[in-house]
Amino acid sequence: MMESSLFEALARMTLGASVAILLVLPLRATLRLRFGARISYHVWLLVPVLMIAAVLPSMHVNRVIAVQAMPTLAAGPLAAPVAQAVPVAWTTILLSAWLAGALATALLLAVAQRRYVRSLGSLTARDNVYLAATTAQGPALLGLWRPRIVLPADFAQRYSAQEQQLIIAHEQCHVLRHDALVNALVALLQCAFWFHPLIHLAAARCRFDQELACDADVLQRHPGQARVYGAALLNTQAAGAFAPATCHWQSNHPLKERIMQLNHSKNNPARRWAGRAMLAFLLAGGIIGTVVARAESEQKTKYLVELKITFAGEYSSPSVLIGAGEPFTLSGATRGKTWSGDFVVTEDKGDMVWLRSQFTIDGKYSGDHNGGIRLGESKHVAIMSEAGADTMILVLDGSVKRAPAPASQ
């Protein structure tokens, strides 16, 4: 059941990320124009917030039901259970493919980071910054826990004194905001959701908005320097190797758009506060909308689960009315032996539902069953457990019916 739960969590987070990204992408330009580059960057918080909201524990409490055994069945041995073939669950196959893709993506990003670090050559410390051995890389911010500002070897010759001051201020802004760590977390999301093209598109746009936000912060602290700042951007070579956990001054992004944005970096307190209010509204609305949508999806269908359980020659027939996705547990004891089963019913296509179950006998894991079942039809499951010289057998015959919707008031 853990594999199914993990797959379900991935699916929910993928959906949450998709909704957030499709909302943020068209809003970026408007937010940047109305409220500034900082808000356009911070609105990307909506993506992890909605992903987390999509997998928050539901309000459902696991129902635990003690099952009373009925009188002993009529004499006669139990029908020998058919050896239960445990097929490889499709969730196992998909999760294996997901893990392979995540590891492959992580390896590619790690190689890119390593290649970039090696391309810098030997670093020389000078006045709280580091000079690379090459002119082709930098300026950049390198390192997560001990960030270092790395400058190209010809930094003093390529840039004027004013340009140098602004470039270093830009990288220090990255340090103060822990942007290198943010970029590393974005890369981690790219690894976990390597299969999702919107995640990779969002990662590139988020890094661009991060640079614009830093530009705006620097020009706020150095008013009247937009022309000098633009000249520093133009004097910088196009970006070389890309490193996922690094903040690059060189632009992999549209340089024209970045320079044009310098004219919109004016300090306006009223605009900043309006932008913060808009950001809070979007985040709160996203969380509430996600929680409400999830609650509606989980509560729209109720199922009546009817079971016939045979264990150690005695049987019971519990019935449980449960909502889709709500877990419940059945347990019982017979002749000094105990058993327990955890169940979840989730919706599938048409008249099919997905029944997930996991069993223990005498406190030890004995088996599980994950499979589709047609509404109204019976499902037969036999679980065997070796207990010393005895073989304990738990036989379950169950059916699931869609409960009638309650009459509206």
Side-chain angles (χ1 to χ4, degrees):
M1 292 182 72
M2 184 180 69
E3 292 177 348
S4 298
S5 299
L6 178 57
F7 181 79
E8 183 179 353
L10 278 172
R12 288 183 181 276
M13 294 181 76
T14 300
L15 179 59
S18 301
V19 171
I21 293 170
L22 291 175
L23 179 63
V24 170
L25 284 175
L27 281 177
R28 294 166 57 240
T30 301
L31 292 174
R32 190 182 309 135
L33 180 63
R34 298 291 184 185
F35 306 112
R38 301 175 192 85
I39 298 301
S40 180
Y41 172 50
H42 291 152
V43 77
W44 285 110
L45 285 171
L46 195 63
V47 176
V49 165
L50 261 62
M51 294 174 71
I52 294 172
V55 293
L56 284 175
S58 66
M59 301 304 294
H60 301 138
V61 178
N62 186 47
R63 296 171 59 181
V64 180
I65 304 169
V67 177
Q68 298 297 324
M70 302 295 288
T72 304
L73 294 172
L78 287 171
V82 178
Q84 186 181 7
V86 181
V88 177
W90 61 276
T91 51
T92 302
I93 297 174
L94 289 178
L95 285 175
S96 298
W98 166 76
L99 182 59
L103 292 176
T105 305
L107 178 61
L108 290 175
L109 293 180
V111 169
Q113 183 74 22
R114 178 61 178 168
R115 184 183 296 121
Y116 177 80
V117 172
R118 295 187 66 177
S119 72
L120 296 174
S122 178
L123 300 181
T124 303
R126 182 177 300 175
D127 298 329
N128 297 321
V129 298
Y130 292 81
L131 288 179
T134 176
T135 61
Q137 302 291 353
L141 181 69
L142 182 67
L144 300 182
W145 315 121
R146 298 178 61 186
R148 294 172 292 175
I149 297 175
V150 180
L151 306 173
D154 62 346
F155 182 70
Q157 293 76 36
R158 187 189 308 179
Y159 302 101
S160 69
Q162 284 182 305
E163 290 171 351
Q164 293 176 34
Q165 181 184 16
L166 294 174
I167 290 172
I168 293 176
H170 177 99
E171 300 305 331
Q172 288 174 337
C173 181
H174 281 307
V175 174
L176 293 174
R177 299 192 317 184
H178 306 286
D179 284 339
L181 180 58
V182 171
N183 288 344
L185 294 175
V186 169
L188 186 62
L189 278 180
Q190 289 182 271
C191 295
F193 297 89
W194 57 268
F195 54 87
H196 198 341
L198 284 179
I199 289 288
H200 301 291
L201 175 62
R205 297 296 185 268
C206 179
R207 290 188 177 100
F208 179 46
D209 290 342
Q210 181 185 92
E211 293 302 319
L212 294 182
C214 259
D215 293 343
D217 283 346
V218 171
L219 291 180
Q220 179 183 333
R221 295 181 175 90
H222 299 81
Q225 298 294 313
R227 184 178 296 274
V228 178
Y229 199 88
L233 288 172
L234 291 173
N235 285 338
T236 303
Q237 299 180 15
F242 168 74
T246 301
C247 299
H248 297 268
W249 166 268
Q250 295 122 306
S251 186
N252 277 309
H253 321 292
L255 183 59
K256 180 180 178 181
E257 184 179 354
R258 188 172 174 187
I259 292 178
M260 290 179 62
Q261 181 60 33
L262 300 180
N263 297 322
H264 300 284
S265 300
K266 297 179 181 179
N267 182 17
N268 187 325
R271 191 172 104 173
R272 289 204 309 271
W273 281 108
R276 291 166 183 167
M278 176 60 70
L279 179 62
F281 172 79
L282 289 172
L283 292 175
I287 294 173
I288 294 172
T290 302
V291 172
V292 169
R294 181 177 176 185
E296 289 181 351
S297 67
E298 291 179 345
Q299 294 178 5
K300 66 181 180 180
T301 305
K302 291 285 186 179
Y303 293 102
L304 179 64
V305 182
E306 299 179 324
L307 302 172
K308 295 181 180 179
I309 301 171
T310 305
F311 181 68
E314 298 187 354
Y315 77 95
S316 55
S317 53
S319 298
V320 182
L321 181 64
I322 205 76
E326 297 180 22
F328 66 96
T329 299
L330 299 177
S331 61
T334 302
R335 300 177 181 175
K337 302 292 183 180
T338 61
W339 62 271
S340 177
D342 299 322
F343 302 85
V344 177
V345 177
T346 55
E347 292 181 298
D348 208 335
K349 297 180 180 179
D351 59 349
M352 297 290 293
V353 294
W354 194 262
L355 178 63
R356 295 182 292 164
S357 52
Q358 180 174 294
F359 302 92
T360 62
I361 297 178
D362 278 347
K364 297 180 180 179
Y365 170 80
S366 297
D368 54 44
H369 177 81
N370 302 311
I373 177 172
R374 193 174 301 277
L375 292 174
E377 294 186 0
S378 181
K379 190 78 171 182
H380 180 85
V381 179
I383 301 294
M384 293 179 290
S385 174
E386 298 292 338
D390 299 328
T391 299
M392 307 302 299
I393 303 173
L394 174 67
V395 181
L396 180 146
D397 289 284
S399 64
V400 180
K401 301 176 182 178
R402 185 176 283 116
S408 58
Q409 300 295 328

